[in-house]
Amino acid sequence: MIKNYLSLCFILLATLQLVFVKKTSGQTYKSGPADKDFAGYLFTYFKGNAVKDEAICFAISTDGYNYRALNNNEPVIDSKNISSTGGVRDPHILRAEDGRSFYMVVTDMTSSKGWDSNRAMILMKSDDLINWKHTVINIQKDYKGHDDLKRVWAPQTIYDPAKGKYMVYFSMQHGNGADIIYYAYANADFTGFEAEPKVLFNPKNGKSCIDGDIINKNGLFYLFYKTEGNGNGIKLAVTDSLMSGKWLEQPGYKQQTRDAVEGSGVFKLNRSDKYILMYDVYGKGKYQFCESADLDRFKVIDNEVKMDFHPRHGTIIPVSRTELRNLTARWGLPQGMELKLAKNPVLDGFYADPDVLYSNKTKKYYIYPTSDGFDGWGGYYFKTFSSTDLTSWKDEGVILDLKKDVPWGNRNAWAPTIAEKKIGKDYKYFYYFTAAQKIGVASADLPTGPFTASGKPLVNFKPGGIKGGQEIDPAVFTDPNSGKSYLYWGNGYLAVAELNKDMISLKPNTTKVLNTDKTFREGCYVFYRKGTYYFMWSEDDTRSENYRVRYGTSKSPLGPITTSENNLVIQKDPESGIFGTGHNSVLQIPGKDEWYIVYHRFNYPDGINMGDAAGFNREVCMDRMYFDEAGHIIPVKPTH
């Protein structure tokens, strides 16, 4: 009863703490994958006590149970280039809160010099899991009062939401004392500590503890650690605040073997409520995996786990399709492993309303989406993503922040569109965007920016005769026949105006309303193929599973638009779990009659169960688009 009461108190305190942090901390840019994007796992480990084996190795898995070593089980980083001792052990890897960065910390040590020979650890940071920057932190040299320090072991990192900082924790032994788990907060660039290490956890029995591994579950911090000299196993302590010094030590041991173990690591299975506790059964030269739903009771699942290598003390994190592709592109696909990855979505994270461009200047493809995942379409910044192959997309970062760059409209950053235009001898880029239900324009010399907003709205009026709807969803089109550029926009109506040669102003008296059919809602897009102008638009509401794309054709960029009875381009596919397919753009591969539709949909597989929230937690997809001999668009089947 006491244990249950304390657990309930922890949960209540953690909930209050998280609410406080959410309300007081500033909102930052979102990057990287969401849980929906995770398609596998990265296992980082070292191999043994020989100097050549005291190095960082990687392995991957697509199911969390079957792992294959990358780089033929050889190190992915040369220990001599990063360590002060010539060897590294106990690698711990963590995805940063920004979604796109990774932190790795390792013991700077080679056992050939003795178990009490090391005084340092290494802090490492990467934006791609491939290239790493590193800093050696020698506790004895960098901080006073550690003259009798004997060893610094098994560092790990966790994000502390109460501080908004990353805590590095590790065990140290001084003189003949016990091994105690210490901590220090890392500085902003993860190259050092803000202050000298302090005690994080010391068991009540005063015995040694090493190999701490902390996981945050529902606001509670679960610390798995190895006891030394008092049973020699893995125990658990729980707290609701890393800084409190108040830990609830759980009775008993968590390993499910009588053999000696160390180096525990816990990770959550993708799209599951199950956790895996793994540990190094170092006397037997093997790893053991255990499964749990509550981080308290564990069962062995060794019969379900397979590896083609023998790891020592490592950690596992989930990775996305993009990250798996990048890892295998760098170190090769492990022999005997087939990497079956979904094609869609093409961007990790929540994005919508994609506009696509091929840049003649950089010879790359770009997608310009709405930054999604904000309640009520409350995003305030725009990003772009680049690719050379339409498969791997690089996050190029924020190109326009309404709060910083657009004083007349600092909210509701929606549905952008981009034009590449040759002005003089060079290409320029003109970016049209929605802000506060008005349309603005920004320009740049490169497709990635920096973009400079014009300083005033381009469209903040309703065309003559229009009383309802919104001034949103711009689409820009340059007529290959005349060279003239046009801007289209509208929700509830479709308007068009010719752009002046400066591309940042509308030509007077050219605004008109175009008629489509009664299905038009928003999201117009125009392209040209073999003498025909195609007009595409979205029907229904983006929160509806029936959101879909229709089209009409014309002999002019100014209409009139002709629609046929069977003019659906793409719609939901319930059998595949795909819903809400709409707001698209179109890409033609340069010099080819090869076409793609780029669109958004409800995030898969959870979006259909999110209610209205599915309409602002969307993801960007791409599928091939074909035409029949008469030039009609053949309905596109959305794919995974």
Side-chain angles (χ1 to χ4, degrees), residues 22-236:
K22 184 176 181 181
K23 287 184 177 180
T24 57
S25 61
Q27 201 167 31
T28 57
Y29 302 149
K30 297 177 181 179
S31 298
D35 287 350
K36 69 180 181 64
D37 300 309
F38 290 137
Y41 305 83
L42 172 65
F43 190 169
T44 178
Y45 60 95
F46 79 104
K47 292 191 293 186
N49 295 336
V51 174
K52 68 181 180 62
D53 292 332
E54 291 174 315
I56 298 167
C57 295
F58 282 174
I60 58 173
S61 170
T62 55
D63 61 7
Y65 299 100
N66 298 282
Y67 290 85
R68 295 290 181 270
L70 291 174
N71 199 34
N72 296 315
N73 200 28
E74 293 300 316
V76 297
I77 300 170
D78 189 339
S79 295
K80 296 190 295 295
N81 293 338
I82 63 173
S83 72
S84 62
T85 62
V88 301
R89 301 167 64 95
D90 320 316
H92 177 267
I93 191 168
L94 176 75
R95 185 186 300 274
E97 291 295 295
D98 66 10
R100 66 185 300 176
S101 303
F102 300 89
Y103 298 127
M104 187 154 52
V105 287
V106 294
T107 306
D108 187 350
M109 174 183 179
T110 174
S111 58
S112 62
K113 297 177 182 177
W115 296 110
D116 297 335
S117 64
N118 86 304
R119 311 287 185 269
M121 70 185 76
I122 304 166
L123 271 58
M124 305 171 67
K125 186 177 181 180
S126 174
D127 287 333
D128 58 8
L129 293 172
I130 310 297
N131 302 289
W132 294 85
K133 297 179 180 179
H134 72 279
T135 306
V136 174
I137 297 181
N138 188 303
I139 302 296
Q140 196 170 65
K141 290 181 180 179
D142 296 343
Y143 299 98
K144 297 179 180 179
H146 294 278
D147 293 341
D148 61 345
L149 179 63
K150 293 174 64 176
R151 59 197 186 201
V152 179
W153 281 358
Q156 297 202 174
T157 309
I158 189 169
Y159 179 72
D160 184 352
K163 287 281 191 177
K165 298 177 182 179
Y166 293 91
M167 173 187 283
V168 180
Y169 55 98
F170 45 91
S171 66
M172 295 197 296
Q173 184 190 27
H174 294 79
N176 295 320
D179 294 271
I180 297 171
I181 297 178
Y182 290 76
Y183 79 92
Y185 286 102
N187 59 20
D189 55 5
F190 207 71
T191 57
F193 294 154
E194 290 186 341
E196 64 180 292
K198 298 179 181 179
V199 174
L200 177 68
F201 176 75
N202 191 6
K204 292 177 182 177
N205 62 19
K207 301 291 186 178
S208 288
C209 60
I210 63 172
D211 293 356
D213 179 71
I214 303 174
I215 188 168
N216 184 338
K217 180 178 183 286
N218 297 330
L220 294 179
F221 298 94
Y222 292 74
L223 166 64
F224 293 84
Y225 61 95
K226 178 191 174 186
T227 61
E228 291 271 85
N230 184 42
N232 193 16
I234 295 170
K235 302 198 77 172
L236 172 64

Side-chain angles (χ1 to χ4, degrees), residues 553-588:
T553 60
S554 179
K555 293 300 179 182
S556 163
L558 299 175
I561 300 170
T562 301
T563 58
S564 61
E565 184 177 348
N566 299 315
N567 67 338
L568 271 171
V569 177
I570 192 168
Q571 62 179 326
K572 68 181 180 181
D573 183 359
E575 291 185 1
S576 299
I578 297 174
F579 301 92
T581 54
H583 202 128
N584 73 288
S585 59
V586 171
L587 173 68
Q588 179 185 13

Side-chain angles (χ1 to χ4, degrees), residues 578-600:
I578 297 174
F579 301 92
T581 54
H583 202 128
N584 73 288
S585 59
V586 171
L587 173 68
Q588 179 185 13
I589 302 302
K592 298 181 179 180
D593 191 28
E594 183 178 336
W595 301 80
Y596 294 85
I597 181 171
V598 187
Y599 60 97
H600 73 236

Side-chain angles (χ1 to χ4, degrees), residues 212-288:
D213 179 71
I214 303 174
I215 188 168
N216 184 338
K217 180 178 183 286
N218 297 330
L220 294 179
F221 298 94
Y222 292 74
L223 166 64
F224 293 84
Y225 61 95
K226 178 191 174 186
T227 61
E228 291 271 85
N230 184 42
N232 193 16
I234 295 170
K235 302 198 77 172
L236 172 64
V238 185
T239 186
D240 69 321
S241 172
L242 290 170
M243 290 289 292
S244 69
K246 298 177 181 178
W247 295 86
L248 184 63
E249 297 182 32
Q250 302 292 302
Y253 288 89
K254 298 305 176 184
Q255 79 273 14
Q256 302 297 302
T257 177
R258 297 192 180 199
D259 296 317
V261 301
E262 65 183 14
S264 64
V266 179
F267 68 96
K268 189 174 183 292
L269 288 172
N270 296 335
R271 289 174 291 281
S272 171
D273 60 355
K274 294 179 180 178
Y275 291 81
I276 300 296
L277 167 66
M278 62 180 193
Y279 40 80
D280 184 357
V281 189
Y282 56 92
K284 296 286 184 68
K286 69 174 187 176
Y287 246 75
Q288 186 164 75

